[in-house]
Amino acid sequence: MWDLNSVVLYFYLGMGLLALWGVSQAWLSQSRTETIHPFKAFVHLLAFYLSYLLIPLFFFSMYAGWSGYYSLHEAAFVFLVSGVFCYARFIEPHLVHVKTTRYQLHADKRLLKPVKIALVADLHIGLFSGHERQLKQIVSKLNQAQPDLVVVAGDWTYEPENTLAQELAVLKEIHAPVYSVNGNHDEQYPGPPIQALLRNALALNNVMDIEGQVVEFNEFRLIGIGDLWAGKADMRFMPELPQDKPWVILSHNPDTVDMVPALPSRPLMLSGHTHGGQVELPWLTDYVMKKVSILGHKKGLYRHEHADVFVSVGTGMVGVPLRFRVPPTIDMIELI
């Protein structure tokens, strides 16, 4: 029963059944998705679900090499390729890291009391990421870190299902106030018109949209600025605002930093958008990043003429359901 021919037959039969399951799941999920391109959403979901074929292929490659069904070179090649893809698809996207960066907000003095800001970006709840398992993990790590406030730098969605409010219910468990602005995927650049769906989901789950608003803290002010690609990143009014405290600016696209006007104290902008490349490959990732950020932002802290900008690699995925050498990250910005 378990001779070579039987094992090969069962393998291909299992792969066929798994493929049929993947197609059916992609079709059902697409029917619940808020999208303006149903076929495109179906294709993306098909890639997401058919990726489960990598798991049996990974284990079969070992058997095939041992049994002689594949040559050793063939088995090693399939083993390595399927193993890397399995890691990038099923393991790294769930390895949520917490990274701390200290930043002196005043050029010439320290704050009376350090303030810990948790920066979350690019959750991309929808086709590939931001589902219950990952959201619970993010909330748990946020509560363990005990920030004074949480800011979400946009791109909440990636063609989400129409149950977005229920999916975000876990955010109510965060033990700190949560402030947010939208990103390009939340503003239909690209993506479906989900602004009303997202606005309702955030309001129901205690997330404060601060686009165009100022939030007062003891030693600084937080201001929310709209998305650059959506044409909502005007900051010409900022010099007219009170300048007795330094500014922390929350805006999705880090290239928005180029629009910050000269202010008495140097602001810090918190952003996402780039995913840090999401899949880190030699040369190719840097080439793609030139199209994502004209100013060359990728991840970490950058200094510009009128402001500094910190770019988070975020937690979600778009384009392909993979993260490789760029694990999802919550950035703890400790203002000192």
Side-chain angles (χ1 to χ4, degrees), residues 97-312:
H97 290 198
V98 178
K99 181 180 177 182
T100 299
T101 300
R102 303 185 81 194
Y103 181 88
Q104 186 166 326
L105 194 56
H106 290 276
D108 54 354
K109 64 177 181 178
R110 295 198 169 201
L111 300 181
L112 296 175
K113 180 183 178 182
V115 177
K116 191 185 292 185
I117 301 177
L119 171 60
V120 181
D122 302 288
L123 287 156
H124 286 299
I125 297 159
L127 298 185
F128 297 154
S129 53
H131 300 300
E132 183 179 14
R133 173 185 170 188
Q134 189 188 49
L135 284 177
K136 284 185 174 180
Q137 189 180 11
I138 290 169
V139 169
S140 174
K141 287 184 177 291
L142 284 171
N143 287 336
Q144 288 173 18
Q146 298 181 319
D148 297 293
L149 63 148
V150 177
V151 296
V152 182
D155 270 7
W156 282 91
T157 61
Y158 183 43
E159 302 194 11
E161 293 188 356
N162 50 25
T163 56
L164 185 60
Q166 294 93 310
E167 289 185 82
L168 292 181
V170 67
L171 299 180
K172 292 179 180 178
E173 299 175 15
I174 297 174
H175 299 157
V178 183
Y179 304 98
S180 167
V181 293
N182 283 354
N184 55 283
H185 279 272
D186 308 321
E187 296 280 8
Q188 211 172 334
Y189 294 92
I194 50 82
Q195 292 93 329
L197 178 72
L198 177 59
R199 191 182 309 114
N200 178 64
L202 296 182
L204 287 174
N205 292 294
N206 302 335
V207 177
M208 290 168 274
D209 183 353
I210 62 165
E211 182 176 323
Q213 299 180 34
V214 175
V215 184
E216 291 278 351
F217 293 92
N218 289 338
E219 297 187 77
F220 68 95
R221 290 185 177 92
L222 172 67
I223 186 169
I225 299 297
D227 180 62
L228 179 65
W229 288 5
K232 296 182 176 182
D234 187 2
M235 283 182 278
R236 288 173 292 184
F237 63 91
M238 283 194 68
E240 301 170 10
L241 298 176
Q243 302 296 329
D244 55 313
K245 301 177 185 178
W247 290 95
V248 174
I249 302 169
L250 179 63
S251 191
H252 173 65
N253 192 321
D255 286 1
T256 308
V257 73
D258 210 27
M259 302 176 71
V260 177
L263 298 172
S265 60
R266 188 175 185 83
L268 171 65
M269 178 178 287
L270 303 177
S271 299
H273 182 64
T274 68
H275 299 203
Q278 188 173 307
V279 174
E280 181 61 57
L281 298 173
W283 305 295
L284 179 61
T285 300
D286 287 340
Y287 174 77
V288 172
M289 289 305 298
K290 293 176 183 177
K291 301 179 183 296
V292 176
S293 172
I294 295 173
L295 297 182
H297 298 117
K298 189 175 184 181
K299 61 181 178 179
L301 188 65
Y302 297 84
R303 186 174 180 85
H304 288 266
E305 182 180 5
H306 294 148
D308 296 336
V309 59
F310 185 89
V311 186
S312 174

